[in-house]
Amino acid sequence: MIIDAHAHMNHISYTEWLDENGGAEGKRRAARMRETAQRRPHATDVGQRLAQLDRNNIDFQVVTPGGGGGLPTDDTATALTIARVINDGMARLREESKGRLIAGGTVPLTGFKQGSSKEMTRAVKDLGLKAITIPSHIQGKPLDSPEFEAFWAQAAELDVPIFIHPSSPAQHRDRTYEGDWDLSHVFGLELETVLVLSRLVFSGIMKRYPTLKVVGHHLGGGIPFWMGRITETYDVTNPLHDKTAKAIFQVVSKPLFDYFSLFYYDTAVGGNAAAIRCAYEVFGASQIIFATDAPDGPGTGEVRLATYTKVIKSLGLPEDDNKKIFADNAKRLLNIR
């Protein structure tokens, strides 16, 4: 069995809702979404998406809302309404695909106790969504901010995995030099993932909620590659960083590696076998999940589906480890029996 454990899709009903109810900005977004669907119909067409899976021998695909859970409004009430529309549409994707598209949803974190908490429960328990996607920051506020604590507590209680999708600083105000050559996409987003996962560890979120399931996109932005630098820097005997390290270890009680080992790392890294092997050597097979980040990519968008499975197989891993990466880990992550 092969499960593509991280891809993106929205039901066409969300595009229609934005066009009718989203004002001028909603119409602009809807027009862009329709343009994307014209170029790549599988972005919204369930039949075409399933045909892609069939052609590439992929049994199931986890689809989370396009845009990485970021909601196109700063208004809390409107964001909650949009999240409900998205979540209803994601449930329809699951139904229309007869379960082959394993759908995730989203909720706004701002004002979580005022409505989003109930919506997350509805999404998971009533709609049957298997994951919640959120951006890597909320209008510049880090995800470990105290006001978001209730979100993490409820995610742990519901045992629902949280897919963190990187989001660039607004308008590149914080790192203006990312604007050229699409550097924000190639590198800036990966830095966002490294930062947010590190903050979840250092702030104590992962200690307080040890059963929390968190997915770091693109191999956690490269966390496996940086793991040695992380542990070396935050060594309490390191005179350049001892004060910071001691402050961190007043919050956490285990070696930092133990906390970073709790995250799930997906393999959507441009088909780079060496990068995946690095993650395998650092964290082992149990926390790695196969993913394509569809529907994007070169050509028609199907290149990733056609080649990424071959990349995993090219590593020559034991068959039991291949099974973990291709399906078993995703089944455990998503509570699929």
Side-chain angles (χ1 to χ4, degrees), residues 37-205:
Q38 286 179 346
R39 288 184 283 111
R40 294 184 172 182
H42 54 277
T44 56
D45 187 300
V46 172
Q48 296 218 29
R49 183 65 73 97
L50 295 183
Q52 277 194 334
L53 300 185
D54 290 339
R55 285 194 295 272
N56 296 286
N57 299 311
I58 296 175
D59 299 282
F60 299 92
Q61 188 174 65
V62 179
V63 289
T64 60
L71 299 167
T73 179
D74 295 336
D75 180 75
T76 301
T78 303
L80 183 57
T81 297
I82 294 173
R84 288 176 180 142
V85 172
I86 290 175
N87 293 339
D88 287 341
M90 299 306 292
R92 290 178 65 180
L93 289 177
R94 184 197 67 239
E95 293 166 2
E96 292 172 11
S97 70
K98 295 181 170 53
R100 289 190 65 191
L101 297 179
I102 303 169
T106 190
V107 293
L109 268 62
T110 302
F112 183 75
K113 293 181 180 179
Q114 284 69 50
S116 295
S117 174
K118 290 182 179 179
E119 176 57 19
M120 186 153 83
T121 298
R122 185 184 81 95
V124 174
K125 293 192 172 182
D126 297 343
L127 298 180
L129 302 186
K130 290 294 189 178
I132 296 294
T133 295
I134 58 173
S136 56
H137 62 85
I138 309 300
Q139 298 173 11
K141 294 179 181 178
L143 297 183
D144 57 289
S145 298
E147 65 185 280
F148 304 140
E149 185 84 15
F151 167 79
W152 296 111
Q154 186 167 332
E157 180 182 356
L158 290 172
D159 193 28
V160 60
I162 304 302
F163 285 60
I164 298 179
H165 197 280
S167 179
S168 293
Q171 306 301 318
H172 307 297
R173 287 192 300 265
D174 297 330
R175 298 194 296 269
T176 56
Y177 40 82
E178 287 183 16
D180 299 325
W181 305 294
D182 208 14
L183 292 174
S184 61
H185 171 77
V186 180
F187 302 111
L189 294 182
E190 308 316 306
L191 175 58
E192 282 289 315
T193 303
V194 171
L195 293 175
V196 66
L197 295 183
S198 298
R199 292 189 66 98
L200 291 180
V201 171
F202 300 156
S203 67
I205 292 288

Side-chain angles (χ1 to χ4, degrees), residues 184-241:
S184 61
H185 171 77
V186 180
F187 302 111
L189 294 182
E190 308 316 306
L191 175 58
E192 282 289 315
T193 303
V194 171
L195 293 175
V196 66
L197 295 183
S198 298
R199 292 189 66 98
L200 291 180
V201 171
F202 300 156
S203 67
I205 292 288
M206 300 307 296
K207 177 189 176 183
R208 292 193 290 279
Y209 308 105
T211 62
L212 194 62
K213 298 174 179 177
V214 176
V215 177
H217 210 5
H218 309 306
L219 290 177
I223 285 286
F225 178 84
W226 298 113
M227 201 61 235
R229 183 173 174 84
I230 292 168
T231 55
E232 184 182 68
T233 297
Y234 300 113
D235 185 316
V236 293
T237 67
N238 188 334
L240 293 178
H241 305 281

